[in-house]
Amino acid sequence: MKARVHVMLKDGVLDPQGEAVRHALGTLGFSGVQSVRQGKVIELELDADGPDQARDEVKAMCEKLLANTVIEKYDIEIL
């Protein structure tokens, strides 16, 4: 079973990497970009008995390692 985790900074948390991308896009002529938020995507292949077990395992992984839940939010897709 496969899972995909999208990790993004929470709203209100400063995103200097996203701001650097927004600035670079402006210098390349893309002046209409108001803001950029940058995150990460993590794909996992799991041995699980079903989608509920897979989701529970991936949630535990996110809480312990894959996301810094103080400043990041995450969304899990079971594929």
Side-chain angles (χ1 to χ4, degrees):
M1 187 160 292
K2 291 187 179 183
R4 184 175 297 137
V5 180
H6 299 264
V7 181
M8 296 288 295
L9 289 171
K10 290 181 178 179
D11 295 337
V13 175
L14 183 63
D15 187 350
Q17 211 170 5
E19 181 58 25
V21 170
R22 187 200 60 76
H23 182 266
L25 289 170
T27 63
L28 292 171
F30 299 102
S31 60
V33 179
Q34 298 296 312
S35 69
V36 175
R37 302 289 287 176
Q38 188 164 323
K40 59 189 171 188
V41 176
I42 303 164
E43 292 189 354
L44 305 159
E45 194 163 329
L46 308 163
D47 290 329
D49 292 332
D52 291 336
Q53 181 189 8
R55 182 174 300 283
D56 290 344
E57 287 181 14
V58 173
K59 181 178 180 188
M61 292 175 197
C62 289
E63 295 290 324
K64 292 181 179 181
L65 176 69
L66 300 179
N68 177 349
T69 57
V70 173
I71 61 170
E72 293 176 319
K73 59 186 176 182
Y74 61 88
D75 182 51
I76 300 169
E77 287 181 80
I78 303 300
L79 308 170

